[in-house]
Amino acid sequence: MQFQQLQYFVAVAETRHFTRAAELVHVAQPSLSQQIKALERELGADLFLRARGNIALTDAGEALLPLARRILADADTARHEVQELVQLRSGRVRLGATPSLCTGLLPDVLRAFHDRYPGIRLMIEESGSHDLVRELARGVLDLALIVLPLPPASPALTTVELLREDLVVVSSPEAQAPGGPGRRSVRIADLEGERLVMFRHGYDLRELTVAACRSAGFEPDFAVEGGEMDAVLGFVRAGLGVAVVPRMVATRSGRGLRVTPLARPGLSRTIALAHRSDVAPPRAARELQRMLLER
């Protein structure tokens, strides 16, 4: 009994027509008929009652049909499982993340993923959330770490909340502390009159900080603007001004920086893991997703 013969048998049983079954399995009708006859000889029983214009299963055919379907389904499952394992030995994962998350969250997780799956190539796209949402929609990325809420008119994305992160104020230890000496925390209102080192347009942190300053009744004063995360931290260390950054970044990159918490209610942001709703991420990407959620 051959696997292909079972495929042909199930096709005929479901279509009740030899020609349509042959078209379904992409084989010439005479070849399909010959294989069905060979299967019947092998089993020692007719599987179909062949009357003009009417194909029906015999008792033997009825008995074989559920078994044949199960064998074919098991074969598909075996093929799928092997392909899934192969995907974890080679291939790639295309992950997008904001620069602050590349600095704070990702290094440890990516190291653990690489140690477990050294054959998977990690491709990281570092950008703001708005840009990453567009890249997800275009199919350029498998997964992205973005800041919620999603921008207006976003494509259909599936998001899972990953963490809520407090923001802090960083400054140079050689400069006057924000809000005055001896302050253990500062309010957003205390930043009025401070020179801010500001991220480029498209950064969620820029929009969040500017909106908070305006809600506190003042327009922020920029000493420098337009930088990425590393540049902003470097400018702050050099004493050009202060910046509002995620606590995780400040903790990891705190050397040469004074870190001052924001007084309650403070500022925070919600980080989510996103992928397109209409396309399931590949197995390797799903494994990275699992590790991020379990970190």
Side-chain angles (χ1 to χ4, degrees):
M1 186 186 303
Q2 299 177 10
F3 180 78
Q4 190 177 57
Q5 291 172 338
L6 294 178
Q7 287 181 306
Y8 296 170
F9 163 71
V10 171
V12 175
E14 291 179 345
T15 61
R16 301 301 170 101
H17 198 282
F18 277 80
T19 301
R20 285 197 293 270
E23 293 171 353
L24 186 66
V25 295
H26 308 292
V27 68
Q29 191 269 330
S31 296
L32 180 138
S33 296
Q34 290 172 7
Q35 289 298 319
I36 294 294
K37 290 178 181 177
L39 178 59
E40 290 175 324
R41 287 195 300 270
E42 172 72 19
L43 295 173
D46 290 338
L47 300 174
F48 296 103
L49 296 171
R50 298 165 175 85
R52 183 178 298 274
N54 184 33
I55 301 295
L57 285 167
T58 64
D59 290 343
E62 293 283 2
L64 177 62
L65 183 57
L67 298 173
R69 283 174 170 158
R70 189 185 312 159
I71 291 169
L72 296 179
D74 287 345
D76 284 341
T77 299
R79 186 181 300 108
H80 178 72
E81 289 297 322
V82 170
Q83 289 172 347
E84 294 277 87
L85 288 173
V86 168
Q87 287 183 26
L88 291 176
R89 287 199 289 265
S90 62
R92 67 181 183 183
V93 176
R94 302 169 300 174
L95 174 68
T98 62
S100 59
L101 293 171
C102 286
T103 302
L105 172 68
L106 283 183
D108 290 342
V109 176
L110 294 186
R111 181 184 61 197
F113 182 85
H114 179 70
D115 289 346
R116 186 174 300 179
Y117 306 110
I120 301 295
R121 185 160 48 106
L122 293 165
M123 303 177 67
I124 308 300
E125 175 75 20
E126 187 177 3
S127 193
S129 284
H130 291 198
D131 296 335
L132 295 176
V133 167
R134 286 194 293 269
E135 297 294 89
L136 280 172
R138 291 175 51 214
V140 176
L141 299 174
D142 301 311
L143 301 170
L145 290 163
I146 61 173
V147 178
L148 295 179
L150 292 172
S154 294
L157 300 179
T158 297
T159 60
V160 180
E161 187 172 320
L162 198 62
L163 61 94
R164 188 179 297 271
E165 184 177 21
D166 291 335
L167 304 184
V168 297
V169 177
V170 291
S171 57
S172 170
E174 299 175 2
Q176 180 175 311
R183 296 285 297 274
R184 300 182 65 178
S185 64
V186 295
R187 301 167 302 156
I188 288 294
D190 295 326
L191 298 182
E192 185 174 8
E194 295 281 356
R195 306 296 305 281
L196 296 182
V197 178
M198 185 52 64
F199 299 96
R200 64 172 174 82
H201 286 281
Y203 252 61
D204 305 278
L205 289 170
R206 178 191 180 105
E207 297 174 5
L208 189 60
T209 303
V210 170
C213 291
R214 289 172 178 167
S215 294
F218 68 96
E219 196 68 25
D221 180 17
F222 299 154
V224 184
E225 62 175 315
E228 302 282 348
M229 180 60 70
D230 287 343
V232 165
L233 295 176
F235 295 150
V236 171
R237 287 190 185 96
L240 291 172
V242 305
V244 177
V245 302
R247 183 184 295 276
M248 194 181 302
V249 171
T251 300
R252 275 188 168 271
S253 309
R255 181 175 297 178
L257 293 172
R258 176 195 294 117
V259 179
T260 307
L262 284 166
R264 291 184 178 181
L267 287 178
S268 65
R269 62 177 189 167
T270 301
I271 306 301
L273 192 57
H275 64 82
R276 283 175 54 177
S277 299
D278 61 337
V279 178
R283 172 66 187 275
R286 297 201 305 273
E287 184 63 15
L288 177 57
Q289 180 181 38
R290 183 190 65 77
M291 293 178 70
L292 282 164
L293 293 173
E294 293 179 354
R295 81 201 189 290

